[in-house]
């Protein structure tokens, strides 16, 4: 019997466990370990609450968790409660699937002022991440700014602009829904340091903006090159740019505005004890297509600033780490003998949920090639890990516990919502009678 530990229960972790289960059948057992008592990582804490169809992929992960030989060990933080070295004593291989939960810094003056938050914090707050339950983003001003031109920026701008009714059917947490309902924000400026043809936003996500109830997406056609320039784009990007251009033709009166400000590079954030304005430099594209400052600066008022400029993977003691890229040092997912990584911890923070499937299968294949089915000598696998955790007084959760928490969340749901998420570790443990 082989024993594998997959650290992280987001998409990358589940696809890897699925692939290992297929590769080894009954000849292996694997445990998906998570620092929280509940599984799904990015699906639960990252995917927007009004994108329930994307979240439905967790049903597939449920099936993986119910596969014979696959276990869930929640409420265990690798690197704090147990080291990677200890895991490697108990398991034949350890696969790190811990994602990229940390915000990249802007690196500009004023970014530590109250009112400036990273997208991991903001998204975590409205999605019920326990670390951000008390974030309390300032929604008392009339202007907000979103920095970045990716899909996360779109998520944040859309969530800020929706009405209460538009969250029907979502699983946005109650504290965020109430706060957003009382928000004074009327103008949301979305800043891209490059131009409209360089956005990293996908057509479906952009298209939603045209139909918002209260917010009108606004673009300045002077920012766009002649329409023929779109011919050189790949089909997906061309579709996105067409949708952007078409925003200029929407004839509607809506009380809020989502203003796309292109060629806009943040230089500093200023304010009296809290964020009040963003100092921005107008840019142009250089020969390589990068943003080059023109020296012209202007101010964008904003008492809430959300930077959506990418993420990094936290380092773990003893695991080689690439500081510049913010991910584990690896070659095709292999970090060292018996130690692997998958997903954003392997590739960096790009790609959709589905990208993690081939990624997980590729690494599982590499594991299977290096370690054919057979005996793992005296490695004790999950039983050994649980004994160690017991000695340390750490109460791990399993998949049955998760089911109980899920049922409690479903029972607490307000009307029109699939669940009311618990947002603190203590709440989860309480639901389990611990
Ligand atoms: P992203 O797609 O890499 O976009 C990051 C954005 O930040 C880019 O526009 C980038 O501009 C900008 N940026 C980076 N550093 C900056 C700086 N110092 N100053 C100003 N702007 C800066 O990342 P993301 O939005 O975090 O998304 C991560 C991944 O998740 C993506 O693959 C995304 O598609 C995916 N995702 C998908 C969905 C969905 O399918 N619904 C939802 C959310 C996220 P440059 O291009 O100039 O570098």
């Amino acid at each position: 019997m082989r024993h594998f530990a997959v650290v992280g229960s987001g998409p990358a972790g589940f696809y890897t466990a699925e692939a290992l289960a297929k590769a080894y059948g009954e000849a292996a057992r694997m445990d998906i370990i998570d620092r929280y008592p509940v599984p799904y990582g990015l699906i639960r804490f990252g995917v927007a609450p009004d994108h329930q169809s994307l979240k439905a992929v967790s049903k597939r992960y449920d099936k993986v968790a119910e596969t014979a030989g696959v276990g869930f060990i929640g409420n265990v933080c690798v690197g704090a409660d147990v080291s990677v070295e200890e895991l490697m004593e108990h398991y034949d291989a350890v696969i790190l699937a811990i994602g990229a939960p940390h915000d990249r810094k802007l690196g500009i003056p004023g970014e530590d002022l109250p009112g400036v938050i990273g997208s991991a914090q903001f998204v975590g707050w409205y999605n019920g991440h326990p670390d951000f339950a008390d974030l309390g983003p300032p929604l008392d001003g009339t202007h907000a700014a979103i920095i970045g031109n990716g899909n996360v920026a779109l998520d944040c701008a859309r969530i800020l602009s929706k009405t209460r009714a538009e969250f029907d059917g979502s699983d946005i947490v109650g504290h965020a829904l109430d706060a957003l309902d009382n928000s004074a924000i009327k103008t949301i400026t979305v800043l891209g340091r490059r131009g409209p043809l360089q956005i990293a936003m996908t057509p479906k996500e952009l298209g939603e903006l045209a139909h918002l109830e209260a917010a009108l997406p606004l673009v300045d056609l002077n920012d766009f090159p002649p329409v023929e320039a779109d011919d050189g784009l790949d089909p997906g990007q061309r579709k996105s740019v067409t949708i952007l251009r078409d925003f200029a033709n929407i004839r509607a009166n809506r009380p809020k505005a989502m203003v796309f400000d292109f060629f806009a590079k943040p230089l500093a954030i200023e304010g009296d004890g809290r964020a009040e304005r963003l100092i921005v430099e107008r840019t142009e594209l250089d020969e390589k297509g990068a943003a080059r400052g023109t020296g012209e600066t202007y101010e964008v008022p904003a008492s809430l600033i959300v930077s959506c400029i990418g993420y990094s993977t936290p380092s773990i003691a003893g695991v080689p780490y690439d500081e510049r890229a913010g991910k584990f040092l690896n070659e095709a997912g292999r970090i060292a003998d018996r130690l692997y990584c998958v997903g954003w911890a392997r590739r960096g923070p790009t790609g959709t949920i589905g990208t993690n499937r081939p990624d997980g299968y590729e690494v599982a294949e590499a594991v299977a090639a290096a370690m054919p089915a057979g005996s793992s000598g005296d490695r004790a696998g999950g039983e050994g890990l649980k004994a160690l955790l017991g000695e340390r007084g750490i109460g791990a959760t399993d998949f049955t516990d998760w089911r109980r928490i899920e049922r409690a969340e479903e029972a607490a749901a307000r009307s029109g919502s699939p669940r009311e998420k618990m947002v603190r570790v203590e709440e989860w443990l309480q639901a389990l009678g611990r």
Side-chain angles (χ1 to χ4, degrees), residues 42 46-48 51 54 104-108 119 147-155 158 191-195 198-202 204-205 208 264-266 289-291 308-311 344 349-353 355:
L42 185 91
V47 172
H51 282 170
L54 283 179
R104 279 189 49 219
K105 301 286 276 179
L106 281 163
I108 59 173
S119 53
I147 301 174
N149 264 183
N151 279 328
V152 171
L154 273 189
D155 279 348
R158 187 182 70 254
L191 296 107
R193 64 179 171 182
R194 297 191 291 154
Q198 286 76 40
I199 52 168
M201 300 163 170
T202 43
K204 183 179 161 291
E205 284 63 31
E208 286 176 57
K265 177 179 150 198
C308 308
I309 62 164
Y311 301 110
W344 283 7
T350 57
T352 62
I353 294 162
T355 316

Side-chain angles (χ1 to χ4, degrees), residues 193-195 198 263 283-293:
R193 64 179 171 182
R194 297 191 291 154
Q198 286 76 40
F263 301 107
T283 64
E284 58 191 12
L285 294 180
D286 69 13
E287 308 69 39
K288 290 184 178 154
R292 170 170 62 201

